Structures are given as structure tokens and as C-alpha cells.
């Protein structure tokens, strides 16, 4: 094992190859603004926001539940868009594939968060952790759909092949979401209607609440942006590390082969069998 | 026209393989029967409960069987490098998809027929309105076969395909489970008007996944 490869150099190589989406400076500024914005949101949501007349403090969960759900959909939307861009021959690039994967991972995270927060909110308000209502079931199915997508991505394969597979899977999944939602809402509908975006009603949300909710959505979107950019860079570094490992394995094999030819006629099957990673 | 002729050739090939290997009849079908018996054991063979949930249990069984049948349909192309033969056959990706999906659909119809009879006999239900059930099952079969063939091809080259396929396929099939169950409930209860909207949903699902498969299958075949 050589120690000459420092992690810093490795990552710089990776970023040079992948072409970072945003400069490091931008990402770190973004990270700090996420922190500040989140701290502000905690203060706004817990002490500035008025207490709901019916649901009391439980209603404050809205400031995290609603933005988490919004982000889940945004993330899967970005995954679908990037997948379509990858499949389109003119815009085909592994950058889109990497972005699609990064976004889906964060989408799954926020879907899980949405389900968990919804459960915690449902317990005091509806008196149950879970109810088989249309939106809940759709979200749960969405969660499993994208877990499957991520499982597909995790199986090692040639990057281009994997990218095409994943892109098709993502697009098929995104087509399924409206059908699932439609069928499940036919099946049962208990959930309260959308309050802010409801069709024939004016926003019934208190003005302060609405502003804080808006702030929450903006904050969560910033967090999403930060996480996606970081995950994208990380994926580039991972790929570079894989390539490096492969190159190293090839070099080791070559030297083994050379030494076995020069040194002795005896079989070297043990050494070959123990070589890490197998080049196709 | 050429598309359909080519599809028929592929479907004939797959069905001939099935006729000789009998994987569906000797493995998938007994598996389905077993699941139906196991459900009864899990629910303590309590007749009223079983009768009430029979349509749902039937369609869950069909979903599981469909995922096996689809996996098998993709597996026959892996053995002996058959996929290379398909690639070099100059057949269109769309017609290969339609042929393979048709072969899966034929096998599924057989499974549904036998398992349906088993459910009626074992779960003590009565068929009061059969048209909604038959048309519903046919529409569901189209969707199951189309989505199954597409996803099995997606997962086919993977080392972990046995475990990835159900995880990918079953959430996508959730609307088929819902639609099929409601349509069959309507059939068992003798209220077909409740079932027809669900049959339409099943038809829509079949149409959407059929089109997706026709569009995407070719590029899945090209890879590797």
C-alpha cells in the first residue's frame, strides 16, 4: 500500500475530472447559510409562530413536515429531469446521471422524514400513527419506488450501462407516481384537503404562519441544494477512487505476471487468486 | 404488421421454451397455490374473514407469481448468451418486448384461471358477476406482463437481480393490486357498476406500461 496518495490530491483530481457544479466557496457559503436559516426557522417556528387554536403545539410540526414533503417531490422531479437529459442523446453525460442519483438519495431521505414527521403529527391530532389515507399511501409507495431505484444504482456495472438502466427506471417510476396517487385517492380519502393550494378556498392560514411556512420551504430548499452539491462531488470522488483502485490492481497483476515469467516455472495460482478486484 | 409478426415469433419461442421446461406449471403455479393455502393458515381458516379478503389475497398471489414469471422470462435470455442472438436477429426492440410480454401474459392468464378456481373453492366465495372479473383480470394481465417484462429486462444483467427485481417491480404494480382487487370484489358481491371504473384504471395502466416498454426495451437490449 503506497501512502503517497493524499486524500486532498485525490479529491482535487476527482473534481478536475468531474467538473464541480459549483465552486467550493459557494458550497461552503451555502452550508453556512443553511445553518443560519435553520436556526432562524427553529426560533420562528417554536416561539414566534402563534399557537394553533385546535391542534395546539402539535401544529408546529407543519413547519418541518410540509417543507420535507415538498423537498421529496422536488428531489424526485430533479432525478426524473436529469434522467431524461441523460437519455436524450444530445445532452447525454454522466454528470446528469450522478446528479440524478444524488438527488434521489436525498429524496428518499426526505420522504422518510416526511413519513416519520407525519406520523408524529398524526398521533396527537388524528389519534393514530398511521392511517390508510391516499396521500400517506402514495408517499409510502414513493418511498419504496425510490429505494428500489437506489438499489438498482448500487449494483456495480459499467458506468454508462448503469446510467442508462437507472435513467429508464427513474422515468418509469415517475410515470407511476400519478397513477398510484390517482388509484389510491379513489380507494380512500380521509386526509384534509390541501389548505394553501386548495382549489376553491382562500388561504385560511394565519399570515404569520404562512410567512414562517414560506421561510421553512426556502430553508429546506437551501438544505437540499447544499446536500445535492456535496453528494454530487462525493460521487465524483468515489468514482475516481474506484478507477484508481482498478488501475492499481492492473499494475499489480502485470508485475506479478512479469515476475512469474522471469522467476520460475512453478504455478502462481495462489498469488493470482489473491489479487484484489478482477479486471474484466 | 411486421411488428406483430415478429412479436408472434418471439412469443412462440418463449412459450415453446415454457412447454419444454415447464417452469411456470411445475414451479410458479405450485408456488401460487402454496401462497393461497398459507394465507388461509395465517388467517386461521376463519371462513368469514377469508371470504371478505379473498380478492386481495388472490391479487397479491398473482403479483408475486407475476414477478417470478417475469424473472423467468428474462432469465431464458441470459442462458447460453441468448441475448446476443436476439441482438443480432435484426428484430425490432419493440417487437421483442411485445412478444416476450405476450408470452408472460399467456402464462399469467393460465395461472389466474387455476388460482382463481382455487380461491373460489378454498375461500368459499361466490362469483356473482363474472364479466367485470374476466375483463378486469385480462386488463390487469396486460399491465402485469408489460411492467414485469420491462423491469425484468432492467434487472436482468445484474448480479443481484433476484432481489432487486421484486423491490423494483412490486411498488410499481400497486395500482394493479388495487384495481384488480376492487374489480373482483365487485364481481364477488354482484355489484359490477362498482368494478368497471377500476377496470378502466387497469386498462390505462396496461396501456401506459405497454407504451413505455415499446419505447424503452430496445435500448435496454443494446447495453453491455
Amino acid at each position: 500500500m503506497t501512502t503517497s496518495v493524499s486524500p486532498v490530491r485525490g479529491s482535487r483530481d476527482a473534481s478536475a475530472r468531474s467538473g464541480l457544479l459549483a465552486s467550493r466557496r459557494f458550497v461552503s457559503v451555502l452550508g453556512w447559510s443553511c445553518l443560519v436559516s435553520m436556526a432562524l426557522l427553529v426560533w420562528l417556528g417554536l416561539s414566534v409562530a402563534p399557537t394553533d387554536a385546535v391542534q395546539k403545539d402539535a401544529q408546529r410540526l407543519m413547519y418541518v413536515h410540509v417543507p420535507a414533503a415538498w423537498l421529496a417531490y422536488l428531489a424526485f422531479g430533479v432525478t426524473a429531469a436529469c434522467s431524461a437529459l441523460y437519455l436524450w442523446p444530445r445532452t447525454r453525460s454522466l454528470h446528469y446521471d450522478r446528479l440524478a442519483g444524488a438527488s434521489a438519495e436525498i429524496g428518499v431521505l426526505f420522504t422518510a422524514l416526511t413519513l416519520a414527521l407525519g406520523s408524529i403529527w398524526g398521533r396527537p391530532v388524528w389519534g393514530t400513527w398511521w392511517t390508510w389515507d391516499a396521500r400517506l399511501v402514495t408517499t409510502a409507495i414513493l418511498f419504496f419506488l425510490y429505494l428500489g431505484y437506489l438499489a438498482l444504482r448500487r449494483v456495480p456495472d459499467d458506468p454508462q450501462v448503469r446510467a442508462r438502466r437507472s435513467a429508464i427506471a427513474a422515468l418509469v417510476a415517475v410515470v407511476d407516481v400519478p397513477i398510484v396517487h390517482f388509484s389510491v385517492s379513489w380507494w380512500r380519502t380521509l386526509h384534509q384537503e390541501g389548505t394553501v393550494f386548495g382549489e376553491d378556498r382562500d388561504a385560511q392560514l394565519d399570515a404569520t404562519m404562512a410567512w414562517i411556512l414560506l421561510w421553512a420551504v426556502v430553508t429546506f430548499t437551501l438544505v437540499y441544494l447544499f446536500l445535492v452539491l456535496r453528494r454530487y462531488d462525493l460521487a465524483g470522488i468515489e468514482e475516481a477512487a474506484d478507477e484508481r483502485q482498478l488501475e492499481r490492481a492492473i499494475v499489480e497483476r502485470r508485475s506479478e505476471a512479469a515476475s512469474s515469467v522471469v522467476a520460475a516455472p512453478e504455478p502462481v495460482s495462489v498469488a493470482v487468486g489473491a489479487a484484489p478486484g478482477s479486471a474484466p | 404488421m411486421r411488428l406483430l409478426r415478429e412479436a408472434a415469433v418471439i412469443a412462440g419461442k418463449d412459450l415453446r421454451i415454457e412447454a419444454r421446461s415447464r417452469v411456470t406449471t411445475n414451479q410458479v403455479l405450485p408456488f401460487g397455490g402454496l401462497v393461497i393455502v398459507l394465507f388461509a393458515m395465517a388467517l386461521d381458516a376463519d371462513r368469514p374473514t377469508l371470504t371478505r379478503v379473498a380478492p386481495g389475497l388472490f391479487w397479491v398471489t398473482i403479483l408475486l407469481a407475476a414477478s417470478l414469471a417475469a424473472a423467468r422470462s428474462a432469465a431464458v435470455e441470459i442462458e447460453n448468451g441468448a441475448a446476443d442472438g436476439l441482438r443480432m436477429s435484426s428484430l425490432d426492440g419493440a417487437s421483442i418486448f411485445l412478444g416476450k410480454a405476450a408470452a408472460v401474459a399467456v402464462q399469467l392468464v393460465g395461472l389466474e384461471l387455476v388460482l382463481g378456481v382455487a380461491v373460489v373453492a378454498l375461500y368459499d366465495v361466490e362469483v356473482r358477476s363474472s364479466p367485470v372479473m374476466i375483463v378486469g383480470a385480462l386488463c390487469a394481465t396486460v399491465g402485469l406482463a408489460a411492467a414485469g417484462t420491462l423491469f425484468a429486462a432492467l434487472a436482468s444483467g445484474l448480479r443481484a437481480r433476484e432481489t432487486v427485481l421484486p423491490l423494483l417491480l412490486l411498488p410499481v404494480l400497486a395500482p394493479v393490486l388495487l384495481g384488480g382487487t376492487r374489480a373482483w370484489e365487485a364481481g364477488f358481491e354482484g355489484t359490477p357498476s362498482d368494478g368497471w371504473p377500476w377496470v378502466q384504471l387497469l386498462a390505462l395502466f396496461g396501456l401506459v406500461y405497454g407504451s413505455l416498454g415499446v419505447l424503452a426495451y430496445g435500448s435496454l437490449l443494446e447495453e453491455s
Side-chain angles (χ1 to χ4, degrees), chain B residues 205-219:
Chain B
F205 186 92
L207 200 67
V208 167
Y209 275 88
S211 325
L212 282 174
V214 165
L215 289 174
Y217 199 83
S219 76

Side-chain angles (χ1 to χ4, degrees), chain B residues 33-57:
Chain B
L34 178 67
V35 171
I36 283 176
V37 171
L38 288 181
F39 272 141
M41 289 162 77
L43 298 173
D44 208 15
D46 180 352
R47 280 293 170 93
T49 309
L50 270 185
T51 309
R52 200 155 42 83
V53 297
L57 297 184

Side-chain angles (χ1 to χ4, degrees), chain B residues 133-214:
Chain B
M133 291 172 66
I134 293 170
V135 179
L138 288 177
C139 291
T141 305
V142 173
L144 288 172
T149 307
L150 180 60
F151 276 95
L154 258 176
S156 75
L158 303 177
R159 265 170 262 170
R161 58 179 170 273
E162 296 88 354
T163 39
V164 168
L165 179 61
L167 180 59
L168 276 176
L169 184 58
L170 292 179
V172 167
L173 293 180
V176 177
L177 176 65
L178 264 181
T181 305
R182 297 309 130 194
W184 275 44
E185 251 173 26
F188 285 141
E189 281 162 13
T191 51
S193 55
D194 291 347
W196 286 114
W198 290 105
V199 176
Q200 287 170 16
L201 176 84
L202 289 170
L204 175 79
F205 186 92
L207 200 67
V208 167
Y209 275 88
S211 325
L212 282 174
V214 165

